[in-house]
Amino acid sequence: MSVEQALTIADLKEQARRRVPKMFFEYADSGAWTEGTYRANEEDFHKVKLRQRVLVDMTNRSLASEMIGEKVSMPVAIAPTGFTGMQHADGEMLAAQAAEEFGVPFTLSTMSICSIEDVRSVTSKPFWFQLYVMQDRDFVLNLIDRAKAAGCSALVLTLDLQILGQRHKDLRNGLSAPPRFTPKHLWQMATRPFWCLDMLGTKRRTFGNIVGHAKGVGDLASLSSWTSEQFDPQLSWKDIEWIRERWGGKLILKGILDEEDARMSLGSGADAIIVSNHGGRQLDGAASSISMLPRIVDAVGDQMEVHLDGGIRSGQDVLKALCYGAKGTYIGRPFLYGLGAGGKAGVRRTLEIIRKELDITMALCGERDVKNLSRNNLLKDV
Ligand code: GLV
């Protein structure tokens, strides 16, 4: 089956499962501890019911919108994800190109395999950069400066991963980048020959933003040792000030899941917040993103743009988030599955699937412009 034959994100997920070595496929397909929040993110979308409307003009539909003042062909950005260049060789560069061609924002993770400069070298429009704050402030300041020098148009500051949530699959798989050459890991790779061939053709196999830039990094291969040694567990609201000052551009706060935190973010000078529980990968037992969205939108009113990530597997999910008041959404796993299944063409397919589902759903709800979606398109009392 080719990526063009995939009709759903679930189809791409199964293709990726067959192409990507287990440790990397499962890195994407995992949540913290019981994975309850990971599952709830998806399941709670199904509980939201749409209002079917008939006999309305369905011509000239538009999905175009804006996120933080940037024009987007649909309000769906590529989320920052770690190890992306391990789903497919040069993964971040390919996904950024697919996003650029599609007219949606691409967000590069600090924990990417391809570096900021690598992605800059293959794109012509500004992308967004996601920042993790390490104790080594010089390194962080330098990362911010590198993102600025690359012309990134937004800084996405992640707030919910100063300590890493435990994902059992990663520990059991012995996840690392580059992969180790134990019999188990060799077997996982040997059974994925196309992935290996692509990987042999690139030199990017470890964390490109960090190696050669951060001083005294011990065992970088393991995400858990890297975060526990390097990430700053004392990060506070006050730190947002110096980060914002150094950056000087659009700032998005990622990882808000509580109304009180949402209200506190109003004084931070940020341009948007992302309602997120890190795809269920951090605090297992936290509520799903979509269930928290309406009250967070109500808490901040029209004082700040609200975005959502977590659990989106279809254009219908995007529509539901927009109806609840999100100005934009992000897809993480859906694009990783597309990437693993078929590189750049796979990411393009992910975006096409989401666009088509969003467009048809919007029409059948009796709307022609994505900017007009509101809670009025949803059934109450479900
Ligand atoms: C990193 O951002 C992760 O969730 O693994």
Side-chain angles (χ1 to χ4, degrees), residues 85-86 89-90 93 113-115 117-118 121 177-178 196-208 211:
M86 286 288 141
D90 296 337
M93 293 156 79
I113 302 296
C114 303
S115 67
E117 293 77 15
D118 287 333
S121 73
C196 292
L197 276 177
D198 287 336
M199 247 345 137
L200 286 172
T202 183
K203 52 184 187 334
R204 301 179 187 89
R205 300 193 202 111
T206 187
F207 298 102
V211 171

Side-chain angles (χ1 to χ4, degrees), residues 78-345:
I78 300 285
T81 53
F83 288 88
T84 303
M86 286 288 141
Q87 305 294 334
H88 189 286
D90 296 337
E92 291 89 355
M93 293 156 79
L94 300 178
Q97 288 178 320
E100 176 171 324
E101 285 164 20
F102 213 88
V104 295
F106 172 80
T107 319
L108 183 71
S109 166
T110 292
M111 303 304 289
S112 58
I113 302 296
C114 303
S115 67
I116 300 174
E117 293 77 15
D118 287 333
V119 174
R120 173 72 190 91
S121 73
V122 296
T123 51
S124 53
K125 287 196 209 122
F127 56 96
W128 297 355
F129 181 68
Q130 175 270 340
L131 182 71
Y132 279 129
V133 182
M134 282 76 172
Q135 292 165 38
D136 179 349
R137 288 290 195 260
D138 285 343
F139 173 65
V140 177
L141 293 173
N142 188 248
L143 258 184
I144 295 174
D145 292 349
R146 287 167 61 196
K148 259 209 266 199
C152 292
S153 55
L155 189 73
V156 177
L157 179 65
T158 298
L159 307 177
D160 60 1
L161 196 144
Q162 294 315 114
I163 290 178
L164 191 71
Q166 179 162 317
R167 301 104 189 231
H168 298 321
K169 287 172 184 152
D170 293 350
L171 295 176
R172 294 194 175 112
N173 286 330
L175 174 78
S176 67
R180 279 173 288 148
F181 287 96
T182 66
K184 179 173 84 177
H185 297 106
L186 281 171
W187 173 251
Q188 287 188 13
M189 289 186 277
T191 51
R192 300 293 184 273
F194 293 111
W195 179 92
C196 292
L197 276 177
D198 287 336
M199 247 345 137
L200 286 172
T202 183
K203 52 184 187 334
R204 301 179 187 89
R205 300 193 202 111
T206 187
F207 298 102
N209 287 329
I210 295 158
V211 171
H213 296 277
K215 289 183 285 273
V217 173
D219 177 12
L220 179 58
S222 140
L223 188 60
S224 52
S225 55
W226 164 247
T227 40
S228 62
E229 276 168 33
Q230 303 289 330
F231 284 32
D232 184 357
Q234 291 188 314
L235 187 73
S236 74
W237 285 104
K238 274 213 78 52
D239 290 300
I240 295 179
E241 269 170 47
W242 64 259
I243 294 167
R244 193 162 58 91
E245 220 157 87
R246 182 74 169 212
W247 169 244
K250 292 269 166 73
L251 178 68
I252 303 175
L253 302 181
K254 176 171 181 285
I256 301 284
L257 200 68
D258 188 90
E259 288 157 273
E260 208 171 313
D261 285 338
R263 276 190 288 270
M264 284 169 81
S265 70
L266 289 174
S268 70
D271 297 276
I273 54 174
I274 309 180
V275 176
S276 172
N277 50 34
H278 214 102
R281 301 162 69 78
Q282 285 295 99
L283 179 62
D284 187 39
S288 67
S289 299
I290 190 67
S291 70
M292 294 306 294
L293 177 65
R295 51 191 114 169
I296 290 181
V297 167
D298 292 343
V300 303
D302 53 13
Q303 294 184 68
M304 188 183 266
E305 220 166 273
V306 178
H307 300 171
L308 171 133
D309 86 359
I312 291 180
R313 298 293 174 268
S314 72
Q316 293 220 317
D317 296 338
V318 170
L319 179 130
K320 290 170 182 175
L322 299 176
C323 287
Y324 275 132
K327 189 90 198 296
T329 61
Y330 296 73
I331 49 169
R333 295 180 181 96
F335 102 84
L336 291 179
Y337 297 146
L339 181 68
K344 184 173 163 187

Side-chain angles (χ1 to χ4, degrees), residues 15-86:
Q15 290 185 25
R17 193 195 298 276
R18 291 196 291 271
R19 228 191 121 99
V20 179
K22 183 166 179 268
M23 69 190 120
F24 297 121
F25 175 80
E26 289 194 343
Y27 167 73
D29 184 25
S30 64
W33 285 321
T34 70
E35 302 193 334
T37 298
Y38 172 25
R39 285 191 299 276
N41 273 350
E42 293 181 30
E43 286 162 5
D44 285 358
F45 269 110
H46 297 292
K47 296 181 188 155
V48 181
K49 299 297 174 203
L50 306 168
R51 282 180 68 199
Q52 169 180 303
R53 304 300 308 277
V54 295
L55 301 177
V56 288
D57 184 358
M58 290 180 184
T59 55
N60 297 326
R61 295 188 300 280
S62 167
L63 301 180
S65 185
E66 285 188 3
M67 288 172 75
I68 54 158
E70 290 185 19
K71 285 195 185 347
V72 292
S73 64
M74 63 178 177
V76 180
I78 300 285
T81 53
F83 288 88
T84 303
M86 286 288 141

